[in-house]
Amino acid sequence: MNNVKKNYRKGGFTFKQFFIGHDRCAMKVGTDGVLLGAWAPIHEAKKALDIGSGSGLIALMLAQRNERLLIDAVELDIKAAEQAQENFSESRWTERLRVFNQDIIEFSEFEKHQYDLIVSNPPYFEPAVSCSSEQRDQARYTSTLTHKTLLDCSKRCLAPQGIFCLVLPYDVGESVELMAHAEGWSTAYRVNIRDKVTTAFHRVLLGLTLEAVESHVSILTLKEVDNKIYTDDFQKLIRDFYLKY
């Protein structure tokens, strides 16, 4: 679902305030990352962590939305980490962005950070059928980062009143949410996402916290029923990023 307008520059996409090169990343810019970057609650946050940052898209969106936010991006794949660093360096927020080419397990165990906000667009396929490349396998499959491990790492890195936000396929998200609750997390926010009012939910945005909180559940519909026009709600969410709005 690559709905971002292409730039004349090769190998990437242009948003209103930054360019994302992604030709060396296994996973390209797509709607999932845009949704998470535009939605994650950041206004009270001072430090954020982007797990599996890839091209750095989500980190850059957070930097645009909060001018005081310091953001660390952890990316295991060296080519993607290098490209994220280039994207950060070309942005106006380079001084607030750092890339760690590191395994999140190692990072969470040895780096003594506490983040107000953690975001992740994580792998979600079970490792049954392999992709065509090791790099793409790593980005798409939970063989190198299971959802249980992701929750554990995030728990170690999250400040006591912080929030962990992620985007997942709807059915996977339901399973991860149940797993999180069993591990002591609460759901602060949940957004069920569908293409149109006539279609089933296909994505979910989750905001998890280690505090006991009331859950806020909402629905986001991306497109109008009779055409490809984005709904007012989706346009409001992505207006500061997409060139056409």
Side-chain angles (χ1 to χ4, degrees), residues 11 40 54 64 113 116 142 170-171 182 196 219:
Q64 177 181 323
H113 299 295
D116 308 300
T142 59
Y170 185 79
D171 55 342
K196 301 177 181 180
I219 293 173

Side-chain angles (χ1 to χ4, degrees), residues 118-172:
I118 299 176
V119 294
S120 184
N121 180 7
Y124 50 80
F125 288 126
E126 294 294 331
V129 179
S130 179
C131 294
S132 58
S133 74
E134 181 179 348
Q135 186 190 30
R136 191 164 171 83
D137 279 352
Q138 181 175 288
R140 289 169 61 86
Y141 288 86
T142 59
S143 55
T144 55
L145 180 62
T146 67
H147 295 132
K148 172 67 164 59
T149 300
L150 180 62
L151 290 168
D152 291 343
C153 292
S154 298
K155 185 179 289 188
R156 286 194 289 270
C157 292
L158 195 66
Q161 296 180 327
I163 187 166
F164 173 37
C165 297
L166 62 166
V167 59
L168 287 163
Y170 185 79
D171 55 342
V172 177

Side-chain angles (χ1 to χ4, degrees), residues 27-44:
M27 300 304 295
K28 310 306 182 186
V29 170
T31 303
D32 286 1
V34 171
L35 282 167
L36 181 57
W39 168 80
I42 57 151
H43 300 296
E44 301 300 322

Side-chain angles (χ1 to χ4, degrees), residues 168-186:
L168 287 163
Y170 185 79
D171 55 342
V172 177
E174 287 198 311
S175 299
V176 171
E177 185 178 29
L178 289 173
M179 183 190 304
H181 290 174
E183 296 290 329
W185 296 84
S186 297

Side-chain angles (χ1 to χ4, degrees), residues 62-80:
L62 299 182
Q64 177 181 323
R65 292 177 57 206
N66 183 337
E67 64 183 14
R68 300 179 306 276
L69 190 63
L70 302 176
I71 305 157
D72 290 339
V74 176
E75 173 54 51
L76 179 60
D77 181 73
I78 187 169
K79 293 181 180 179

Side-chain angles (χ1 to χ4, degrees), residues 1-6 13-18 29-38 57 61 64 222-223 228 230 234-245:
M1 295 190 296
N2 290 331
N3 294 313
V4 186
K5 186 175 180 180
K6 232 176 186 180
F13 288 90
T14 293
F15 292 86
K16 283 186 175 180
Q17 296 191 37
F18 60 89
V29 170
T31 303
D32 286 1
V34 171
L35 282 167
L36 181 57
L57 167 65
M61 294 181 73
Q64 177 181 323
L222 303 184
K223 298 174 184 176
K228 296 182 179 180
Y230 290 139
F234 186 50
Q235 289 188 43
K236 181 179 179 180
L237 187 66
I238 49 84
R239 184 173 294 132
D240 290 338
F241 300 99
Y242 279 20
L243 290 172
K244 66 185 294 183
Y245 296 109

